[in-house]
Amino acid sequence: MQTMIEVEGLTKVFTLHNQGGIQLPVFSGIDFRARQRECTVLFGESGSGKSTLLRSLYANYLPTSGSIRVFHRGEMVELTGAPSQTLLDIRRETIGYVSQFLRVIPRVSTLDVVAQPLRERGVDQDRAHQCAGELLERLHIPERLWSLPPGTFSGGEQQRVNIARGFIVDYPILLLDEPTASLDQRNASVVVELIREARQRGSAIVGIFHDADVREAVADHIFEIDPTQKSESRAAS
Amino acid sequence: MSTQPLLQVREITKLYAANKGCADVSFDLYPGEVLGIVGESGSGKSTLLSCLSARLAPDSGSIHYHNRAGESLDLYSLSESRQRQLQRTEWGIVHQHARDGLRMGVSGGANIGERLMATGERHYGNLRGTAEQWMSDVELDIDRIDDKPTTYSGGMQQRLQIARNLVTHPRLVFMDEPTGGLDVSVQARLLDLLRRLVTELNLAVVIVTHDLAVARLLAQRLIVMRRGEVVETGLTDQVLDDPQHAYTQLLVSSVLTP
């Protein structure tokens, strides 16, 4: 199976310059791999750095040291120190990221918010809207809401809009930060289905799931982050 | 990916005094890319923008622009008339104060048509038709086409300025605080409009703003300036979510979120 993400010796320390230069170490020396057609769940206590690792994989956080390489357009590409153009291309083509919270843009309709990643890849508006509609329907967002900006939606609805946006492109790598956090059972199981379908298509999935049922339903591997000792990977039971 | 950069900026310096102006700025800008320049007032953002758009000769450094014809032009070795021609045809310049970018003595329609006439269009019907089209594209009431911009509100003037700039289908647009001084509701409308136009027309944009929310919404990449120097660069969300430099950390942590 193709290795899609390869992390070596990853260390992250936050330096707060305006608080007397205090240093907050998050984790150090992490080695991690994610392969095609597998779902890896990041596991660890609150504050152990799961989200920080996930954000680093998306080049949203800058590693303090170490290497992150991803399989992009047929070769392994180093994220750290890559030019912005390369990073933007990787995000457009290779890596999708679903955060916990939707960043709402005033005046932009739900359908457009969801369709945007497809539009950025050059898909025409009708086709992109059709795909967006199908996903919104699966995630039980009523059609009468599609033309409205999601700013006034409930937390759970906004999260489902965010999930639809993340799954609209068949990304080779998909990063999920608690996608089911504020969802009811019915919608959580739709997300589980979506994850399984993405894995079936060949995506490498790395996610954080607090909900034990969801975690058991999707995990092939558990990667436990232990900030004090060596982090390790094991097969899901 | 393999395309040529539109703009190649190398070690641009323009100093009025120590730390006043901009020093040693280098970057590449690619077609379709939106680059934000952020920093507090007096950090040199607008000076840099003037240098980039051939309105202020730098003390040192070079700027190369890759034009439609595929030539690489050294901006400050061009004659003034060729610089002006670039500004009128391949570029747009959106000023913070719409009055600086509009002709206040002629109608809204004429403001849009003027740029087209400068590029050779003479047919009145075409000029009027295009002006009407652009008025509606920037959400201005077509009935106001014969009114002078002095009778427009601030938000309308700003949208007219944008239409005037985009009518010649520029490839590169420079914007100096385009939403500064506008009501929040008007700002949201303008931002949405800019976002749509940037995507539809595949514009490259250099936008100066002190508003980090505006930068996050429009720019893919950021340059953070302080006292004339670039202190940090990177993807917009990376710079705002994991700022490395003390000044950027201060800037990000000082923003009020309602």
Side-chain angles (χ1 to χ4, degrees):
Chain A
M1 227 43 99
Q2 174 68 46
T3 296
M4 298 300 288
I5 303 174
E6 195 170 47
V7 172
E8 276 169 15
L10 190 70
T11 299
K12 179 64 182 174
V13 181
F14 287 104
T15 306
L16 307 181
H17 293 291
N18 299 300
Q19 264 105 61
I22 188 173
Q23 302 234 320
L24 299 175
V26 185
F27 46 67
S28 74
I30 282 190
D31 296 327
F32 170 80
R33 239 170 237 269
R35 292 180 192 81
Q36 217 176 10
R37 233 176 270 280
E38 288 180 355
C39 177
T40 306
V41 171
L42 304 182
F43 192 69
E45 286 171 30
S46 180
S48 61
K50 303 184 292 292
S51 285
T52 299
L53 173 57
L54 208 60
R55 284 166 173 263
S56 304
L57 299 180
Y58 195 58
N60 175 235
Y61 281 2
L62 222 53
T64 306
S65 64
S67 144
I68 301 173
R69 301 197 308 147
V70 298
F71 190 71
H72 172 63
R73 293 189 187 274
E75 56 180 339
M76 294 306 282
V77 177
E78 177 69 54
L79 284 190
T80 313
S84 299
Q85 283 77 22
T86 307
L87 295 176
L88 290 168
D89 190 54
I90 288 174
R91 287 182 178 185
R92 203 162 32 236
E93 294 298 323
T94 302
I95 309 185
Y97 174 71
V98 178
S99 64
Q100 285 183 65
F101 303 104
L102 179 68
R103 193 169 283 282
V104 181
I105 299 167
R107 300 212 330 151
V108 179
S109 77
T110 298
L111 207 56
D112 283 331
V113 168
V114 175
Q116 196 199 356
L118 274 185
R119 298 282 288 137
E120 281 172 5
R121 289 176 146 213
V123 174
D124 69 75
Q125 178 157 312
D126 288 350
R127 175 91 195 97
H129 277 176
Q130 194 195 331
C131 293
E134 284 166 13
L135 274 165
L136 288 169
E137 212 167 293
R138 282 187 73 178
L139 287 156
H140 306 107
I141 303 284
E143 191 166 348
R144 63 188 157 79
L145 297 180
W146 295 359
S147 60
L148 304 175
T152 53
F153 293 6
S154 73
E157 283 167 340
Q158 289 196 7
Q159 187 164 28
R160 279 178 278 149
V161 171
N162 214 14
I163 290 163
R165 182 183 153 91
F167 279 90
I168 198 165
V169 168
D170 295 337
Y171 293 107
I173 298 171
L174 201 49
L175 309 174
L176 307 171
D177 193 349
E178 300 218 41
T180 55
S182 47
L183 298 189
D184 55 29
Q185 200 61 52
R186 181 175 72 144
N187 285 304
S189 62
V190 175
V191 175
V192 169
E193 270 173 42
L194 286 170
I195 293 171
R196 286 178 169 163
E197 287 169 19
R199 186 176 52 185
Q200 210 69 49
R201 285 194 300 265
S203 297
I205 295 154
V206 181
I208 301 167
F209 304 93
H210 272 165
D211 183 338
D213 291 341
V214 174
R215 196 162 60 225
E216 271 164 36
V218 298
D220 296 305
H221 296 279
I222 307 275
F223 183 77
E224 188 156 0
I225 302 182
D226 184 341
T228 52
Q229 297 164 24
K230 199 79 180 158
S231 301
E232 59 172 13
S233 183
R234 60 181 157 84
S237 49
Chain B
M1 282 303 292
S2 55
T3 49
Q4 293 254 21
L6 212 50
L7 210 56
Q8 283 176 296
V9 180
R10 294 292 175 270
E11 294 161 19
I12 284 294
T13 298
K14 172 72 195 176
L15 289 174
Y16 301 102
N19 298 326
K20 203 86 195 92
C22 61
D24 198 20
V25 180
S26 301
F27 65 88
D28 287 341
L29 183 75
Y30 286 81
E33 210 179 26
V34 181
L35 173 73
I37 304 175
V38 299
E40 63 198 356
S41 320
S43 59
K45 310 185 295 278
S46 297
T47 301
L48 175 60
L49 197 73
S50 296
C51 289
L52 297 177
S53 53
R55 288 176 294 159
L56 179 68
D59 302 334
S60 61
S62 74
I63 302 171
H64 283 85
Y65 171 69
H66 203 80
N67 75 357
R68 262 199 192 104
E71 302 159 301
S72 176
L73 306 175
D74 181 351
L75 276 194
Y76 286 98
S77 63
L78 294 178
S79 66
E80 262 183 56
S81 72
R82 293 235 23 219
Q83 289 179 348
R84 272 201 303 276
Q85 191 202 357
L86 268 185
Q87 289 167 347
R88 275 201 308 260
T89 56
E90 301 206 9
W91 297 356
I93 299 173
V94 175
H95 300 265
Q96 176 176 5
H97 303 291
R99 289 166 174 276
D100 298 337
L102 290 173
R103 292 224 298 149
M104 302 305 281
V106 301
S107 72
N111 263 286
I112 300 174
E114 192 182 47
R115 293 259 313 215
L116 273 183
M117 286 173 71
T119 60
E121 178 65 70
R122 288 291 181 272
H123 187 276
Y124 178 76
N126 290 350
L127 286 170
R128 184 140 183 119
T130 311
E132 281 179 1
Q133 182 57 51
W134 271 101
M135 300 255 318
S136 81
D137 276 354
V138 298
E139 303 175 28
L140 286 170
D141 187 350
I142 294 177
D143 290 343
R144 302 292 303 272
I145 191 167
D146 295 319
D147 297 343
K148 289 181 183 168
T150 41
T151 66
Y152 287 13
S153 69
M156 289 169 66
Q157 288 180 0
Q158 200 55 290
R159 276 176 279 148
L160 181 64
Q161 193 194 183
I162 287 162
R164 175 181 159 92
N165 271 284
L166 297 187
V167 67
T168 50
H169 293 282
R171 307 163 73 214
L172 173 58
V173 179
F174 300 97
M175 298 186 186
D176 193 357
E177 305 272 9
T179 59
L182 299 177
D183 279 344
V184 182
S185 60
V186 180
Q187 257 193 38
R189 186 175 189 182
L190 191 70
L191 284 172
D192 176 39
L193 173 75
L194 288 174
R195 237 174 54 88
R196 184 169 59 76
L197 292 172
V198 162
T199 321
E200 280 173 8
L201 305 174
N202 197 34
L203 291 177
V205 179
V206 181
I207 179 171
V208 161
T209 181
H210 69 274
D211 187 332
L212 298 182
V214 168
R216 192 190 284 266
L217 199 59
L218 292 177
Q220 291 133 9
R221 267 199 305 145
L222 283 189
I223 287 180
V224 183
M225 292 188 71
R226 177 177 176 253
R227 303 179 67 190
E229 286 177 354
V230 174
V231 295
E232 186 160 354
T233 65
L235 293 184
T236 300
D237 59 276
Q238 184 261 298
V239 171
L240 297 182
D241 294 342
D242 187 18
Q244 306 293 307
H245 190 275
Y247 175 67
T248 319
Q249 290 186 357
L250 183 67
L251 208 60
V252 170
S253 65
S254 306
V255 175
L256 299 172
T257 38

